[in-house]
Amino acid sequence: MNSSIWSFTEGTVGMIGEHKVMFSNIMIQDYTLADGTSKEGPAASLSLPNNKEWQTAGTGCIFTLDGVEYEVTNVEEGDPFGEVTVKIHRPIFSFTEGTVGMIGEHKVMFSNIMIRDYTLADGTSKEGPAASLSLPNNKEWQTAGTGCVFTLDGVEYEVTNVEEGDPFGEVTVVKNN
């Protein structure tokens, strides 16, 4: 089996990395995707580590473990047991303002978070918390706010959140599919 795809039999505990997860009670039911879209179809109750609440997970639902987003790609009812398939949706990277962090083998740094103007790749002007971004092999710092993208080794990454902090802010980046 591909190491980035997992299949779970309904009602049994399975592992994603070092995390125990369980899908149970597969049935036709309503569920909501991260973008707010309501769906109806086969969905399971999902138990995640360190979370006392069960969540409803149908095809397209996303959950996070250790800084990686996972997507439910298929939910099937069965007799006697159904099955749920999960794949890696995208990794998440968090950076503390002013410290060097890693994306793969690349050192990157976000600093000087403050409210300022910045421009998205499509030319849209924005104002909000943004950081100065230092990338490898680039002598110029660029301004990166929420929605900005950059490329490393041909892979596109998107800044999804920039927060000012006291004393240090934080920047969140995801790998785009």
Side-chain angles (χ1 to χ4, degrees):
M1 169 150 318
N2 185 326
S3 63
S4 61
I5 298 174
W6 296 264
S7 290
F8 299 91
T9 301
E10 178 180 9
T12 60
V13 174
M15 301 293 287
I16 294 180
E18 298 187 12
H19 300 286
K20 292 180 182 178
V21 298
M22 181 172 157
F23 292 90
S24 67
N25 303 321
I26 296 174
M27 65 181 94
I28 303 297
Q29 56 188 311
D30 296 329
Y31 61 94
T32 305
L33 302 179
D35 67 3
T37 304
S38 295
K39 298 276 217 170
E40 180 182 348
S45 297
L46 167 60
S47 173
L48 295 172
N50 301 319
N51 190 345
K52 293 180 182 176
E53 299 289 321
W54 287 75
Q55 62 189 62
T56 303
T59 301
C61 288
I62 295 171
F63 60 93
T64 304
L65 291 170
D66 275 350
V68 177
E69 287 183 345
Y70 296 88
E71 179 181 359
V72 175
T73 58
N74 193 37
V75 180
E76 292 182 14
E77 293 180 288
D79 186 14
F81 302 109
E83 188 170 32
V84 177
T85 306
V86 174
K87 71 171 186 161
I88 291 178
H89 181 65
R90 61 185 179 178
I92 301 169
F93 305 92
S94 291
F95 299 92
T96 300
E97 178 179 10
T99 60
V100 174
M102 301 294 287
I103 294 180
E105 297 178 6
H106 302 286
K107 292 180 181 178
V108 298
M109 182 167 140
F110 292 90
S111 66
N112 301 322
I113 296 174
M114 64 181 83
I115 304 297
R116 59 174 117 174
D117 296 329
Y118 61 95
T119 306
L120 301 179
D122 67 3
T124 303
S125 294
K126 302 276 248 172
E127 181 183 352
S132 297
L133 167 60
S134 173
L135 294 172
N137 302 319
N138 190 348
K139 293 180 182 178
E140 299 291 319
W141 288 74
Q142 62 190 64
T143 302
T146 300
C148 289
V149 296
F150 59 92
T151 303
L152 292 170
D153 285 343
V155 177
E156 185 176 86
Y157 297 88
E158 180 179 350
V159 176
T160 58
N161 193 39
V162 179
E163 292 183 17
E164 292 179 288
D166 186 14
F168 303 109
E170 192 161 317
V171 178
T172 306
V173 173
V174 296
K175 178 180 173 184
N176 281 339
N177 293 338

